[in-house]
Amino acid sequence: MTLHSVVLGTGSALPRRRVTNDELAQTVDTTDQWIVERTGIRARHIAGEGETTASLATDAARKALAHAGVAATDIDLIVLATATPDQTFPSSATKVQATLGINDCVAFDVHAVCTGFLYALTVADSMLRSGNAHKALVIGAETFSRILDWEDRATCVLFGDGAGALVLGAEETESGILTTRLHADGRHNDLLFVDGGPSTTGTVGKLRMKGREVFRHAVVNLAGVMNEVLAAAGLTSADVDWLVPHQANARILDATAKKLGLPKEKVVMTVDEHANTSAASVPLAFDTAVKDGRIKRGDVVVLEAMGGGFTWGAAALRY
């Protein structure tokens, strides 16, 4: 038997306020029809007063721990993926740690925007398999609503807030995370970025995106990295029970599945209700499909995402 990182439990959290396209159209120059036809999005959740990236992450973590039957004090590693931390420093992971009552563990944030959860998962998997940790919380959490330009009608309608979490444990088994692959290409910074930062403007800034060009790169890069991860795991698309993609746009999901030869019925899609929640997207969708019974123990699952940078990656696991 080989030491693998096994998914022991999953959890997710959404802000209390759910905003439909029709409600959004009351303040943004848009319509439900325009949004649905171009993105598949029908609603999103927007963080309100007292709801932050760390608070959503903590809520998702608690649910994942309960699902796993693991005590918070058994966790010795927290990796939190986010592009919207509560503070410049310290990390939001340490806020989660403190709120959960864990006095001492490794805790840090990972920043790779929408691919952040795949980066966090890969780091945690490496630490678990090397013996540097035994049980880990891997979290993706975002409050993207706070960096949106609400006058940019083509972009602000695409995003929402939320969090998802996985509890991983190192076990001698043939299940768990089989392989991961990550990539980055910083030449495309100007296609998807935030126009601010502590060392440039001293302000947080707002999200800017050239959607058509991002779409073109996304379909090619995601199909490529998923083929890469399947080959590394000794699998083919026919072996995949479920694809859990980054929930950016329904058209990207359809195009990527088609390139892989996967039927739409095998693709977990939550973008209609959650919109694009960046680093929270993949674990939020994963938890949704576990809790509604689609993803079952023993299923082969492929996770994928692409985000600003560009960054992109994929993981294959046997749940």
Side-chain angles (χ1 to χ4, degrees):
M1 288 284 186
T2 306
L3 193 65
H4 280 107
S5 303
V6 176
V7 179
L8 303 177
T10 68
S12 60
L14 292 165
R16 291 181 293 274
R17 184 184 172 203
R18 178 179 179 270
V19 179
T20 64
N21 292 341
D22 286 332
E23 182 179 346
L24 197 61
Q26 295 175 21
T27 54
V28 177
D29 181 19
T30 190
T31 65
D32 175 70
Q33 182 181 357
W34 189 92
I35 298 171
V36 172
E37 286 179 353
R38 287 160 179 79
T39 70
I41 297 167
R42 298 183 181 278
R44 75 284 295 142
H45 290 254
I46 302 296
E49 185 178 354
E51 294 177 318
T52 70
T53 292
S55 72
L56 292 168
T58 302
D59 190 8
R62 284 195 171 113
K63 291 174 182 175
L65 289 166
H67 185 231
V70 171
T73 49
D74 290 336
I75 297 296
D76 50 13
L77 171 66
I78 300 174
V79 189
L80 194 162
T82 187
T84 53
D86 284 22
Q87 300 166 273
T88 301
F89 74 86
S91 71
S92 294
T94 59
K95 297 187 75 172
V96 174
Q97 174 199 4
T99 307
L100 291 176
I102 305 171
N103 293 331
D104 184 19
C105 76
V106 178
F108 57 93
D109 290 355
V110 168
H111 184 353
V113 204
C114 300
T115 321
F117 185 78
L118 272 299
Y119 272 65
L121 189 73
T122 300
V123 171
D125 176 48
S126 297
M127 292 183 69
L128 288 165
R129 288 188 294 104
S130 68
N132 285 306
H134 302 287
K135 283 189 172 60
L137 266 172
V138 186
I139 308 167
E142 303 280 16
T143 47
F144 252 54
S145 63
R146 289 170 179 156
I147 59 169
L148 296 177
D149 179 353
W150 290 99
E151 295 182 358
D152 181 359
R153 64 188 292 268
T155 302
C156 69
V157 301
L158 304 177
F159 295 90
D161 303 330
L166 269 59
V167 177
L168 301 181
E171 295 183 5
E172 293 279 352
T173 178
E174 295 306 315
S175 295
I177 298 172
L178 305 175
T179 189
T180 64
R181 290 292 185 273
L182 302 174
H183 295 276
D185 185 349
R187 293 174 297 173
H188 303 294
N189 178 88
D190 63 336
L191 299 184
L192 179 53
F193 66 102
V194 168
D195 61 359
S199 77
T200 53
T201 65
T203 63
V204 174
K206 299 297 182 184
L207 186 147
R208 308 298 176 193
M209 182 172 70
K210 298 177 181 177
R212 185 173 298 177
E213 294 178 63
V214 173
F215 181 98
R216 179 171 55 85
H217 283 275
V219 174
V220 174
N221 289 347
L222 291 174
V225 76
M226 283 191 285
N227 281 322
E228 186 182 350
V229 86
L230 286 173
L235 301 169
T236 69
S237 58
D239 299 313
V240 177
D241 294 299
W242 293 101
L243 171 63
V244 182
H246 169 49
Q247 306 289 316
N249 181 309
R251 292 191 298 171
I252 293 177
L253 305 191
D254 290 342
T256 304
K258 188 175 181 180
K259 265 186 171 288
L260 280 174
L262 278 175
K264 290 175 64 173
E265 293 75 23
K266 288 189 173 185
V267 180
V268 175
M269 191 177 297
T270 61
V271 68
D272 57 331
E273 277 296 312
H274 301 154
N276 182 345
T277 54
S278 187
S281 169
V282 170
L284 182 53
F286 191 97
D287 178 60
T288 299
V290 167
K291 299 297 171 57
D292 68 20
R294 278 178 287 177
I295 295 178
K296 299 176 176 61
R297 286 295 179 185
D299 283 354
V300 172
V301 183
V302 173
L303 317 176
E304 57 87 336
M306 177 179 147
F310 286 138
T311 60
W312 65 100
L317 63 90
R318 189 180 299 277
Y319 179 67

